[in-house]
Amino acid sequence: MSIRHLDQLLSPRSVAVFGASARPASVGATVWRNVRAGGFRGAVFGVNPRHATLDGERIYRTAGELPEVPDLALLCTPADTIAPLIGQLAALGTRAVVIVTAGLTVAQKQAALAAARRCLVRLLGPNCIGLLSPHIGLNASFAHTDALPGDVAFVSQSGALVTAMLDWARSRGIGLSHLVSLGDHCDVDFGDLLDYLASDARTRAILLYIESIESPRKFMSAARAAARNKPVIVVKAGRAGNGMRAAASHTGALAGSDIVYDAAIRRAGMLRVDTMQELFTAAETLAHFRRNDSEVLTVMTNGGGAGVMAADAAARAGVKLAELDDALLRRLDVVLPANWSRGNPIDIVGDAPAQRYTATLSALLADKSAGAVLFIHAPTAIVPSEEIARACLPLLREAAPRVMACWLGDAAVAQARQCFEGADIPDYATPEEAVQAFAMLQTYRRNQQTLMEAPSASENPAPDAALARRQIQSALDDGREWLGEQEARAVLRAYGIPVVASQEASTSVSDVLAAANTLGFPVALKIRSRDITHKSDVGGVRLDLGDAPSLVQAVRDMLDAVRAARPDARVDGFTLQSMARRPRAQEVIVGASIDKVFGPVLLCGHGGTAVEVLADTAVALPPLNRSLARELVSRTHVSRLLAGFRDHPPARVDALCDILMAVSQMLADLPRLAELDINPLWVDEHGALALDARIRVSSAAPGGAERFAIVPYPTEWVRRTTWNGRAITLRPIRPEDEVQHGRFLSCLSMEDIRMRIFLTRRSLPRSELARLTQIDYDREMAFIAEGVDASGCPETLGVARTVSDPDNIEAEFAIIVRSDLKGAGLGRLLLAQL
């Protein structure tokens, strides 16, 4: 990550155009014209050895002839000139270059990067339209029009969408703080620009058009940091893709799937939308309505049809309309005609005067249970729309975060729309768009909440990673990529995952009977073959065999069925399992695979043999904690069954969450784990039990913590030591430490609080505690010194924290020790650990 010299890229004081030209319709001529016509207040120079002047301006032959070193250079010259020009500019002192030129070979791109790297010159492009920074009048692009200044930044991999965005935004009067075309992004990429725009005072919201991500860990770190500061909204191309591919394991089919991008965007606290229209709808909603936290919506309209359209849109989007309680109904009865709808949507009838609007709106805003209010108005000849708007303004100024507006029509409601927009009320063209915006806000809020959760600890025992590695190595030594059933169960047991008792047997009937007698009847019988992935597809599974005769017959029938279905398959024998009796258990699948972009990925959903048909699964990026595991489960339909129904009591979802966390830990500890399916996994009120598992391994080590898109908890920095005769642990802080950290702050003196965090109170809001405990270990570190109090509970004794700049050049650090423990050397220990 680096924002080094991006200020010279996005806010330069001088610009030089290399390849400035008079040739009509050429890139050099267009860029030269745009830079000069955009109102840029800095110096502009043209460079071209074939011209002495252009448009009355002197043109220079080389970079060395320029009267001053330009902050920003725009290169519109042939591909073979790019690397030499960057070398010359670097030597002169230019630190930002936009390579507009297309068609560079891989070797030419590498040469350009090498020339830039020596002096940390930042490169945008190649093959890009350029950039616009309207607040300084800079149009450093070959776009067809300028942008209006505003507070929304747009970063795009598609040049065509940059020009479309310019047209779209300008026609609607929407201003931009920056507009950047990344092109081939050989240097400056999404991560760099997210870091820069996150702290850019001119930018209120960040919009991204993404086709692909090449540096997932850098992108996730930057996105999570930016999304904490301001809304980040994403259009990701390629949602259709090729669908889930066929794979040996159910989870393996996810590799490269678009739903993994969904999981990454959600985990970073961003919002994904599907179209450019939705991009701006979301931007406007989050800019003007983000403080609204309502879970329900009340529709207020002067036309029944518009209300029905809004209600239909709410049903499609999963938006809940508020139930009007008796007190609110009585209040509305007083101010509305006798024939009003007496329900939500609230139809105040088409002849409504301004006073009816204000009385209805006042009643709704006085009742918190009404939630957010969607104000819909269709123009009539009875009362001018502007008069209604102005009458409502005093109410809106007091309750702006609760009201959305939809003024149906155009010229007849233009002034009314302006009145509401002036009061910071978001406005939408149709009822459906307004409801969709409310649904987007709910999704955005849920994504943000995943960044603010305070998770509880797992009940999992410490894993036996060495045992799991031995099982994997044994298979690799044999030249196998799939673990045997007993090996797979051993890996699960090593990570504390309960498995059903089982025995292996050869194809001999006597061996099968001996194994069944060891387990005890009834048993399940499964074929054991290195060549058969899904056993039930070939008749390789028989359940609930209660005695020896039925087991012997099942062995014979199964061998016949398997040989008929797969004559090529090698049959290694049978696996027998105890028949678990858990009639109210739900079948769940838990899986893991390696995505080609984001690395290790987890899956959870409705399990069993119909997993592909049901298609009820959700995906998340590791590492997981309890809260993130619960959020993953909540995105599946099977979560409703797990909540309990009829004679089925609620299942122990925490047991499922513990298994998800265990698999997350597996993915970090076991780099050679390539795919995993635990299916079916039974979950009921007693807990969870794994009935079957498949694990594929690879000597290429495609996984492991190094491949995580989000850096996992760095256990290598946990150290136990003795201080002042007391056993303590020095370790990185965890999100689970939020409550403990709050108790620590409450033990500090007011003077220590003021000197350390510049506050005059000991208690911090949850959002601040979350920021202190939920850190990105790739960018910052906080070590706590932890002891045990007199009652045996862990307590924080001191904290040392460091945050590096985005260029990883400088860092700030701070240390605070509990006020009653100062002067005993604990700060020195923490500093040494830091």
Side-chain angles (χ1 to χ4, degrees), residues 277-295:
Q277 172 70 47
E278 290 179 359
L279 193 69
F280 272 108
T281 298
E284 178 168 356
T285 303
L286 293 174
H288 299 289
F289 204 58
R290 184 165 38 145
R291 287 183 294 138
N292 181 274
D293 59 1
S294 303
E295 292 295 330

Side-chain angles (χ1 to χ4, degrees), residues 29-71:
T30 307
V31 172
W32 170 250
R33 182 186 67 239
N34 282 351
V35 173
R36 295 180 65 248
F40 179 60
R41 292 178 288 276
V44 178
F45 310 108
V47 181
N48 192 326
R50 298 178 181 177
H51 296 282
T53 62
L54 275 176
D55 302 324
E57 297 286 339
R58 178 183 173 184
I59 300 299
Y60 300 88
R61 291 178 54 81
T62 66
E65 292 181 9
L66 293 172
E68 64 178 84
V69 176
D71 277 356

Side-chain angles (χ1 to χ4, degrees), residues 105-179:
T105 66
V106 173
Q108 287 169 332
K109 289 178 188 176
Q110 289 301 317
L113 281 170
R117 196 168 288 125
R118 286 190 289 269
C119 298
L120 293 178
V121 176
R122 303 312 305 274
L123 304 182
L124 180 66
N127 188 26
C128 71
I129 282 180
L131 64 93
L132 294 90
S133 292
H135 59 278
I136 58 171
L138 177 64
N139 183 349
S141 76
F142 61 89
H144 64 298
T145 186
D146 275 336
L148 300 172
D151 56 12
V152 176
F154 180 58
V155 182
S156 173
Q157 278 180 283
S158 166
L161 284 184
V162 169
T163 57
M165 172 68 75
L166 277 170
D167 248 8
W168 199 95
R170 194 172 185 88
S171 67
R172 288 159 178 77
I174 296 171
L176 301 168
S177 58
H178 299 283
L179 190 149

Side-chain angles (χ1 to χ4, degrees), residues 61 93 116 157 199 203 294 332 384 545 594 748 753 768-769:
R61 291 178 54 81
Q157 278 180 283
S199 56
T203 299
S294 303
L332 291 173
L545 301 169
I594 310 300
L748 300 176
I753 286 281
E768 289 303 314
L769 279 173

Side-chain angles (χ1 to χ4, degrees), residues 264-281:
I265 290 167
R266 181 184 302 108
R267 182 69 176 271
M270 302 184 290
L271 174 66
R272 182 176 185 179
V273 297
D274 291 326
T275 66
M276 299 298 286
Q277 172 70 47
E278 290 179 359
L279 193 69
F280 272 108
T281 298

